[in-house]
Amino acid sequence: MIKSMTGFATAERTVQEITVSADIHAYNSKHLDVVLRVPSGYMTLEEKMKTRIAERIARGRMEVKIQIKDQSEGAVAFEIDHPRARAMQSALTELKNTFDLKNDISLELLMGLGGIIKPVETVAESESIWPAIKECLTVALDNLETMQHKEGDFIADDLLKRLDFIEDCIGKIENDCADLLYHYQQRLIERISSLTREIVEIDPGRLAQEAAFLADRSDISEEIVRAKSHVRQFRHIMDSEEPGGRKLNFLLQELHREFNTMGSKIGQAQTSHRIVDVKSELEKIREQIQNVE
């Protein structure tokens, strides 16, 4: 089954007053590359998150942003800014003494100046928050894979059409080469007749020997067999549940090699044109495979 490497997904889950949201952006990459953005207090869970992603994704660049909101009791505490409080009290005392003021410096006055008591977020224990993160990440990855499979279906349809065309061309190339011996005999007769102006009598035995030699040098039966095998294997990998992007890329290189060899051996114009058409399709397949996991 073909799966695209690109996609986007989000998810949000709340477990015991802890809300976790995940945003995932997936891009093409030759290898698995996970980039995590996690709140500073939860960096100890980074390896667990990467492991979870690696269990689901074979390759691609994964940019994952995790946000955590803890609404439980004790999640927020307060602290006193002692230096600020002392500085404010000192300044107010100086003003009082300088202008001989009778007012007392009260707590309400200090609090009114602001910045003395500040809220401080506390970080929950890693093990207690991991279930919420794991569930949210799982849902986000499910959503991502759904999108990647849909895009993969479009890619697969395009690849199958191109494979059908290539198989059809292989069959035609095979038929073109079926009478290769006769083809070279006729070419030799035409060349010799043209050079000698039909003055020299052609030895049929020698003609057959030379034609057989040329036909043997131009034999592409092995390349055709291997090309057929590669196309069948290509289809098999596409139908497999396992990620096959790397294998498909390797098979594509092998197909290129087989058709390059055919092109160097065969001198028939019609066959050469078919090989050019096939190589054009292989290049289009290569572009599609760059996006296959």
Side-chain angles (χ1 to χ4, degrees):
M1 182 179 296
I2 294 295
K3 189 173 82 169
S4 171
M5 276 192 284
T6 59
F8 169 74
T10 62
E12 183 176 288
R13 283 294 180 272
T14 300
V15 178
Q16 297 179 352
E17 298 182 312
I18 295 176
T19 301
V20 180
S21 63
D23 294 340
I24 302 178
H25 293 262
Y27 305 96
N28 295 351
S29 178
K30 291 183 179 181
H31 309 285
L32 179 60
D33 180 18
V34 180
V35 180
L36 277 175
R37 293 174 60 190
V38 184
S40 58
Y42 302 95
M43 299 299 290
T44 55
L45 296 173
E46 191 170 316
E47 284 305 315
K48 281 189 174 182
M49 297 182 205
K50 287 185 176 181
T51 299
R52 185 64 178 164
I53 294 170
E55 291 172 353
R56 301 284 298 275
I57 305 297
R59 67 172 182 158
R61 178 179 173 85
M62 308 291 293
E63 295 184 359
V64 184
K65 181 181 179 181
I66 302 293
Q67 293 180 309
I68 301 170
K69 295 180 181 179
D70 189 349
Q71 298 174 326
S72 62
E73 291 184 13
V76 178
F78 293 90
E79 68 176 8
I80 301 172
D81 189 339
H82 291 279
R84 183 180 178 87
R86 283 192 292 268
M88 285 183 175
Q89 184 186 28
S90 177
L92 290 172
T93 301
E94 183 179 347
L95 282 172
K96 180 180 176 182
N97 294 334
T98 300
F99 297 102
D100 193 22
L101 301 175
K102 304 300 182 183
N103 301 64
D104 293 331
I105 301 174
S106 64
L107 178 62
E108 288 79 8
L109 181 58
L110 285 172
M111 291 297 297
L113 296 174
I116 294 176
I117 297 178
K118 299 182 293 185
V120 178
E121 290 189 1
T122 61
V123 177
E125 291 292 331
S126 297
E127 292 304 319
S128 64
I129 201 172
W130 170 243
I133 296 176
K134 181 180 178 182
E135 183 177 337
C136 181
L137 197 55
T138 299
V139 173
L141 288 169
D142 289 341
N143 295 338
L144 177 66
E145 286 196 285
T146 299
M147 181 178 182
Q148 289 176 327
H149 280 303
K150 286 182 179 179
E151 186 175 343
D153 290 340
F154 289 111
I155 295 175
D157 289 341
D158 182 72
L159 292 178
L160 289 173
K161 291 177 183 177
R162 299 189 188 284
L163 288 175
D164 289 340
F165 175 81
I166 290 172
E167 282 186 318
D168 182 61
C169 285
I170 291 174
K172 291 177 179 178
I173 291 172
E174 192 172 19
N175 290 334
D176 291 343
C177 298
D179 57 348
L180 205 57
L181 182 61
Y182 174 77
H183 169 75
Y184 280 116
Q185 284 179 334
Q186 294 302 115
R187 284 183 61 184
L188 281 172
I189 291 173
E190 292 173 2
R191 284 185 179 182
I192 294 172
S193 298
S194 176
L195 290 171
T196 63
R197 298 182 181 180
E198 299 183 357
I199 297 175
V200 178
E201 184 178 351
I202 302 173
D203 181 3
R206 183 62 184 275
L207 177 65
Q209 184 180 7
E210 291 297 327
F213 174 73
L214 290 173
D216 183 63
R217 286 181 56 188
S218 303
D219 180 39
I220 58 171
S221 57
E222 292 183 9
E223 286 79 8
I224 288 175
V225 170
R226 286 195 294 268
K228 287 181 178 179
S229 175
H230 293 332
V231 173
R232 286 195 299 269
Q233 195 172 358
F234 202 102
R235 292 181 183 275
H236 175 73
I237 293 172
M238 286 180 60
D239 292 335
S240 174
E241 294 295 328
E242 297 295 323
R246 290 189 181 93
K247 294 179 181 178
L248 293 178
N249 191 56
F250 172 77
L251 279 177
L252 194 64
Q253 293 176 13
E254 293 301 304
L255 278 167
H256 263 293
R257 185 176 291 110
E258 301 302 341
F259 283 101
N260 280 337
T261 304
M262 291 184 203
S264 65
K265 285 186 175 182
I266 293 297
Q268 292 176 305
Q270 186 176 13
T271 302
S272 296
H273 291 157
R274 296 193 201 281
I275 291 173
V276 170
D277 291 340
V278 169
K279 290 170 73 173
S280 175
E281 290 300 301
L282 290 176
E283 181 59 26
K284 293 173 184 176
I285 291 175
R286 186 192 67 79
E287 293 175 1
Q288 289 283 34
I289 289 177
Q290 302 309 308
N291 194 38
V292 175
E293 183 182 353

